[in-house]
Amino acid sequence: MATKKTSPLAIRPLKRSDLVAQEIKRMITEKNLSPGDRLPRESELQAQFEVSKGTIREALKSLEVQGLVTISTGPSGGGTIVEVPLDRTLQFLQNYLFFKEVTIDNIYAVRMLLEPELAAGAVAHLTEEDFEALEHSISCCDPASSGHDLIMQRREDVNFHDILAAANPNPFLRFTCELINEMIRQLIVFGNRTPQTEHRRFGEENASYHREIVAAARARDAQSVHALMTRHMQDATHAVKRMKGRIQGRLILDADSLRSPRVSMAVEAREAPAKAGRGKGRQTS
């Protein structure tokens, strides 16, 4: 009797631990738990879901890998809910894109669409602390006034956009733009033969646009901010191509190579975790 072949597209049934992990996620939502809240102890979860201790631990480990919980050991150990950090999300995205041909043009095409909307939407929500952070960023990225080397100036260019992102109330738009910024910070490099004069020219252009954007934002002129950011993104795209920017290897990084907290003023005055600082990147635009 012929055996029945399994379709390569057939959906595999979830393991019991995966099902438990999904139920824990549902429980977090239903109980409106937040980062910092503790999950029930392992023994309580085991009784609630009627599974073995090993299944509970595997489920918690899965959630830990996803960045949703941290696990502590000992008599009072268990899972504590945490907010998924942007760098962990970037790792997942890079794994998804690993075998896809992502180019500079792809990244900047999306950036040109989203950054003007992001900046315009942030205008009404910028505080005086935000303006101070934006102006500090400009002083760090402008070759005429910065004491940083040219590569650090390019990193600070991206920090400027992160400050605007942090002020935008749309969480999905903010997340998407912060993710793109992190990709630019971590993955884009320039050829060794790119003259320093080109870096300086790029920095001067960026600083000029940033000053105009801040001035328009202080005037609460969202329409002008949108127009300025559109031109800024168009010119930045041309500049990166002129400087022979490229994606560094495959879109994948180890956790240890990801950013650590940046030292710029940025958005530390804001309390939301989504508005936390950025870190050291590679040679970025």
Side-chain angles (χ1 to χ4, degrees), residues 33 48 57 61 71 76 105 123 125 130 142-143 151 157 159 164 178 186 210 219 222 234 258 262 271 273 281:
L33 300 179
Q48 179 177 345
R57 288 185 174 177
K61 185 63 178 177
I71 301 174
S76 61
D105 286 340
V123 167
H125 305 277
D130 293 325
D142 186 355
I151 299 305
D157 289 337
N159 288 346
L164 291 175
E178 287 180 334
Q186 295 288 348
H210 291 180
Q234 291 170 344
L258 288 167
R262 66 184 177 192
E271 295 180 356

Side-chain angles (χ1 to χ4, degrees), residues 10-29:
I11 299 175
R12 296 180 180 179
L14 291 174
K15 296 189 302 180
R16 181 169 295 185
S17 59
D18 292 333
L19 292 172
V20 171
Q22 288 186 355
E23 288 302 314
I24 293 175
K25 286 182 183 179
R26 185 174 288 110
M27 179 185 69
I28 291 171
T29 301

Side-chain angles (χ1 to χ4, degrees), residues 105-174:
D105 286 340
N106 297 150
I107 293 174
Y108 272 86
V110 176
R111 198 178 188 214
M112 279 194 288
L113 291 173
L114 297 184
E115 276 288 335
E117 293 295 328
L118 176 92
V123 167
H125 305 277
L126 290 167
T127 66
E128 185 56 36
E129 289 82 3
D130 293 325
F131 283 119
E132 290 175 4
L134 290 167
E135 289 165 357
H136 176 75
S137 176
I138 293 171
S139 69
C140 291
C141 73
D142 186 355
S145 59
S146 176
H148 298 304
D149 61 55
L150 293 175
I151 299 305
M152 285 298 295
Q153 290 171 23
R154 299 292 67 71
R155 293 171 186 165
E156 192 60 47
D157 289 337
V158 184
N159 288 346
F160 179 91
H161 295 270
D162 280 334
I163 298 166
L164 291 175
N168 191 293
N170 184 326
F172 188 72
L173 178 59
R174 181 174 65 239

